[in-house]
Amino acid sequence: MAQNIDESKKKAFWKRSSNKFPGSSMQSSPAPQHESPQHAPKHKLSFKEFENHTEDAWDATDDDLLRAALAKIEMGSSPEQVHAAAQAVIENHSKTNSFATGSRQTSTLSSGHQKLAARTSAEKPVRPGAAETTPTSSHSHKRVPGGASRTVSQVGSIPVHKVVKDKQPAKSMNGFGNLNNSSEVYETNAEETTQTGSKMVLSPPSITGAGSAPKAQSIRMPMTASNLAKENTRIDKFYQMLQSDSIDLDDLRKLSWPGIPSAVRAVTWKLLSGYLPANKDRRESVLKRKRNEYFKFVEQYYECREQPMYQQTYHQIHIDIPRTNPLIPLFQQPSVQTVFERLLFVWAVRHPASGYVQGINDLVTPFFVVFLSAEIGEEVEVETYDVAKLPERTLKDMEADTYWCMGNLLDGIQDNYTFAQPGVQSKVSKLRELTKRVDADLHAHLETEQIEYLQFSFRWMNNLLMREIPLRCTIRLWDTYLAETDGFSDFHLYVCAAFLTQWRKQLLAEKDFQGVMLMIQNVPTHHWGDEEVKLLLAEAYRLKYTFADAPSHLPNKKR
């Protein structure tokens, strides 16, 4: 009986929402009676249907999401036919994967799948700034259409990074924002080599031919010699500011918006996220106090993880952690997974309004990588680094710093993760309205093919595009988000709009539902670097300052 009451309350809550919400395909007014059968209106989603649509939005395999989308969205008068066609796409996709050893394909791809396969086979992604490499094995990586994380493994080869030393000395900042001197500046470029011996070596997967998403990748952003000179100039400007007795955070934001040099990124992120104080003399004492406070939380809460009231939360975190960037060896180390599990559990228990929601685990990784990079230096490959080499105290400090910085980020977007996720709903709805104004042709095409914005952009909002772009690009994107006022909530909307219109040509070329869905969920960003992120941010900036003051461009905007 109580369960029925809870269900009715949820439905009543949903009905009280705005007339416009993600997943709505029509206005709330009745459809005209003379509307033709081939354009039959779709019904609005109930709360349960919203949950069903979004419950697997963070799964590792995007074809699972597509299967759910095709099975759950009503498609006009013939849903059975559409479902059958979509199932054929999935089956053929799975068959394609089975030919990893070079056996001949015996099944025929569906029309939408065929188009995507033809497009991706013509792509030759090259890591920006990296020399072209020649495979040393007969089995090369192949991108499989529809699979963001599906790659055919390359036998007998691992990336090895050469180090190019610059003549200018490099500098780095310690955890308190003080200056450290180093004698060399490093630039890394990936090369392929043959692995010898049977001993397992932790190595980053090659990004060549990897899926669209951010799994198989090198974490650090490659740089050219010319960019290296500019980087050194910008580092000097950061040092002058960071060494001042009291930092003007507005000036630091302006300097950080175009990107933060890796040598000073850790301390700058701590300052911009509100973790470190602007006053230089207070930083060491604040860090010590906050770190001790975090481990008191660990003692208080983490030891209770097996209690009945926390078991469900702990279980969900425990099974999500191994899914976090599964192709990056760093995140598969037990000690790293323990760190993530502990800080996520503590955060969830201390924030009962939202608790833990799938997708929050992704938000830990950029902070952890940035803080680890500051500890090990630029010459060491962070994606393969064995954290067991770090002193125990250093690893604990990184854990506490990651917890507080991630917590400050989530404080600004916590409505994304509370009951019914109103923040995500609102942003998806705003993205639809913004796209309608920015690119009417693309919006009309998505509507014609009956594409729900919720189906592809829920993950963009919930995971802050981390499943769509490589981690190195996420880190660069967050430089700007931290420099923006409300960057993770407001500016992210414009970045998503710019990201969607980035693929307008490819999306307009797709003429059926499954083709559009395969494209939009598997955009080819695996080769992206600094230049691509700069262009994306420039377009987002243009959109923001074109529409930010327009009173009617987004729903719920004050006039």
Side-chain angles (χ1 to χ4, degrees):
M1 183 66 181
Q3 185 175 1
N4 294 333
I5 294 175
D6 291 340
E7 291 296 324
S8 63
K9 285 182 178 180
K10 289 184 179 180
K11 292 179 180 178
F13 172 87
W14 186 256
K15 289 177 181 177
R16 289 197 299 270
S17 300
S18 171
N19 288 334
K20 287 185 177 182
F21 58 88
S24 173
S25 58
M26 54 179 288
Q27 298 295 326
S28 58
S29 57
Q33 297 298 324
H34 62 274
E35 190 170 3
S36 59
Q38 59 269 29
H39 297 290
K42 295 174 288 179
H43 73 286
K44 290 185 178 181
L45 299 180
S46 68
F47 178 76
K48 276 297 182 184
E49 288 173 315
F50 171 82
E51 284 190 316
N52 290 337
H53 273 316
T54 58
E55 64 187 359
D56 58 357
W58 35 73
D59 281 353
T61 52
D62 283 338
D63 37 283
D64 291 338
L65 175 61
L66 180 57
R67 183 188 293 108
L70 293 170
K72 297 169 186 173
I73 295 182
E74 291 186 4
M75 297 291 296
S77 59
S78 302
E80 295 80 8
Q81 296 178 3
V82 176
H83 177 74
Q87 192 64 32
V89 173
I90 302 301
E91 292 173 357
N92 283 316
H93 174 82
S94 300
K95 290 178 182 179
T96 304
N97 278 330
S98 66
F99 290 95
T101 57
S103 60
R104 190 165 57 91
Q105 183 172 352
T106 59
S107 61
T108 304
L109 298 175
S110 65
S111 60
H113 196 175
Q114 220 168 15
K115 294 174 186 177
L116 186 59
R119 177 172 63 253
T120 55
S121 62
E123 293 173 353
K124 298 292 183 182
V126 179
R127 182 183 177 185
E132 294 186 8
T133 59
T134 303
T136 59
S137 172
S138 59
H139 301 293
S140 60
H141 277 276
K142 299 177 182 179
R143 180 183 175 190
V144 181
S149 63
R150 294 176 180 269
T151 55
V152 179
S153 59
Q154 184 161 348
V155 178
S157 63
I158 58 171
V160 175
H161 293 254
K162 60 184 179 181
V163 177
V164 180
K165 299 181 181 179
D166 189 51
K167 296 180 180 179
Q168 298 295 327
K171 303 171 183 177
S172 62
M173 302 293 288
N174 62 19
F176 307 124
N178 298 323
L179 186 62
N180 291 332
N181 290 317
S182 177
S183 58
E184 298 160 336
V185 171
Y186 295 88
E187 173 189 4
T188 60
N189 291 304
E191 289 183 341
E192 299 271 348
T193 187
T194 301
Q195 183 181 4
T196 58
S198 58
K199 184 179 180 181
M200 187 189 74
V201 180
L202 288 176
S203 60
S206 170
I207 64 169
T208 305
S212 66
K215 309 253 182 4
Q217 60 186 264
S218 174
I219 293 178
R220 286 204 174 100
M221 193 75 76
M223 296 183 65
T224 62
S226 59
N227 288 338
L228 211 59
K230 295 178 182 178
E231 184 90 341
N232 288 336
T233 301
R234 298 195 70 239
I235 287 175
D236 290 336
K237 293 181 180 179
F238 272 93
Y239 281 135
Q240 292 175 10
M241 185 173 295
L242 294 173
Q243 288 296 305
S244 61
D245 292 335
S246 183
I247 297 173
D248 187 324
L249 292 180
D250 289 335
D251 290 342
L252 183 61
R253 290 189 183 97
K254 292 177 182 177
L255 188 60
S256 302
W257 205 99
I260 303 172
S262 57
V264 294
R265 179 173 279 131
V267 66
T268 304
W269 276 26
K270 292 174 185 177
L271 286 162
L272 293 178
S273 65
Y275 177 44
L276 274 184
N279 187 295
K280 182 180 178 181
D281 294 335
R282 294 182 55 233
R283 292 177 198 167
E284 185 172 355
S285 61
V286 167
L287 278 179
K288 183 177 180 180
R289 175 173 59 83
K290 298 295 280 186
R291 288 166 177 171
N292 290 337
E293 186 177 354
Y294 166 72
F295 281 103
K296 288 181 181 178
F297 292 151
V298 171
E299 293 177 5
Q300 180 179 357
Y301 299 117
Y302 190 66
E303 300 303 323
C304 305
R305 62 189 181 277
E306 298 294 347
Q307 292 182 3
M309 64 183 300
Y310 298 131
Q311 276 185 350
Q312 185 176 357
T313 297
Y314 174 70
H315 174 72
Q316 188 62 61
I317 294 172
H318 186 71
I319 62 177
D320 282 350
I321 292 301
R323 303 173 182 173
T324 305
N325 290 289
L327 296 186
I328 296 180
L330 171 67
F331 301 127
Q332 302 309 305
Q333 298 177 38
S335 53
V336 174
Q337 293 184 353
T338 300
V339 166
F340 287 5
E341 180 182 286
R342 192 158 48 217
L343 66 88
L344 285 170
F345 180 81
V346 170
W347 186 90
V349 172
R350 294 191 68 245
H351 294 79
S354 61
Y356 174 77
V357 176
Q358 288 176 305
I360 293 180
N361 55 306
D362 284 341
L363 307 184
V364 177
T365 56
F367 289 112
F368 187 82
V369 166
V370 167
F371 299 154
L372 176 60
S373 299
E375 294 294 337
I376 65 177
E378 291 296 303
E379 68 277 11
V380 180
E381 290 302 324
V382 64
E383 56 263 49
T384 61
Y385 184 78
D386 182 4
V387 297
K389 298 178 181 178
L390 289 173
E392 183 180 359
R393 181 73 258 171
T394 300
L395 185 58
K396 286 187 174 182
D397 289 347
M398 287 170 46
E399 178 180 345
D401 295 347
T402 300
Y403 170 83
W404 288 113
C405 290
M406 181 201 71
N408 290 345
L409 183 161
L410 287 170
D411 286 345
I413 57 172
Q414 193 169 356
D415 61 344
N416 284 7
Y417 307 107
T418 54
F419 173 72
Q421 299 185 262
V424 172
Q425 293 182 43
S426 174
K427 291 181 180 67
V428 171
S429 179
K430 289 177 180 179
L431 176 64
R432 183 182 183 278
E433 294 299 320
L434 182 57
T435 304
K436 185 177 180 179
R437 294 177 180 271
V438 170
D439 195 332
D441 291 341
L442 177 58
H443 173 77
H445 180 63
L446 296 177
E447 291 285 296
T448 299
E449 300 303 332
Q450 303 191 42
I451 303 296
E452 300 281 351
Y453 278 75
L454 181 68
Q455 280 297 328
F456 64 86
S457 63
F458 177 89
R459 189 173 66 184
W460 297 6
M461 306 303 176
N462 190 76
N463 300 73
L464 299 178
L465 285 176
M466 290 190 63
R467 298 292 178 96
E468 322 309 319
I469 61 177
L471 182 54
R472 60 180 179 274
C473 296
T474 295
I475 292 172
R476 169 61 190 89
L477 193 65
W478 283 23
D479 289 346
T480 300
Y481 282 3
L482 288 164
E484 276 276 337
T485 303
D486 298 323
F488 291 96
S489 56
D490 293 345
F491 189 65
H492 179 67
L493 170 67
Y494 297 95
V495 171
C496 288
F499 188 76
L500 178 59
T501 57
Q502 170 92 15
W503 313 105
R504 71 179 311 274
K505 182 178 179 181
Q506 295 92 323
L507 292 171
L508 290 173
E510 299 293 346
K511 301 303 182 183
D512 51 34
F513 175 85
Q514 57 264 43
V516 175
M517 286 296 290
L518 283 169
M519 173 61 208
I520 205 169
Q521 291 181 349
N522 295 277
V523 288
T525 60
H526 44 279
H527 64 286
W528 273 29
D530 189 59
E531 291 303 316
E532 287 78 8
V533 177
K534 284 181 179 178
L535 291 173
L536 180 68
L537 289 169
E539 177 62 12
Y541 182 87
R542 184 188 71 82
L543 291 176
K544 178 180 178 180
Y545 286 96
T546 299
F547 292 97
D549 295 326
S552 62
H553 83 288
L554 294 177
N556 305 323
K557 198 77 173 181
K558 292 182 180 180
R559 295 177 181 272

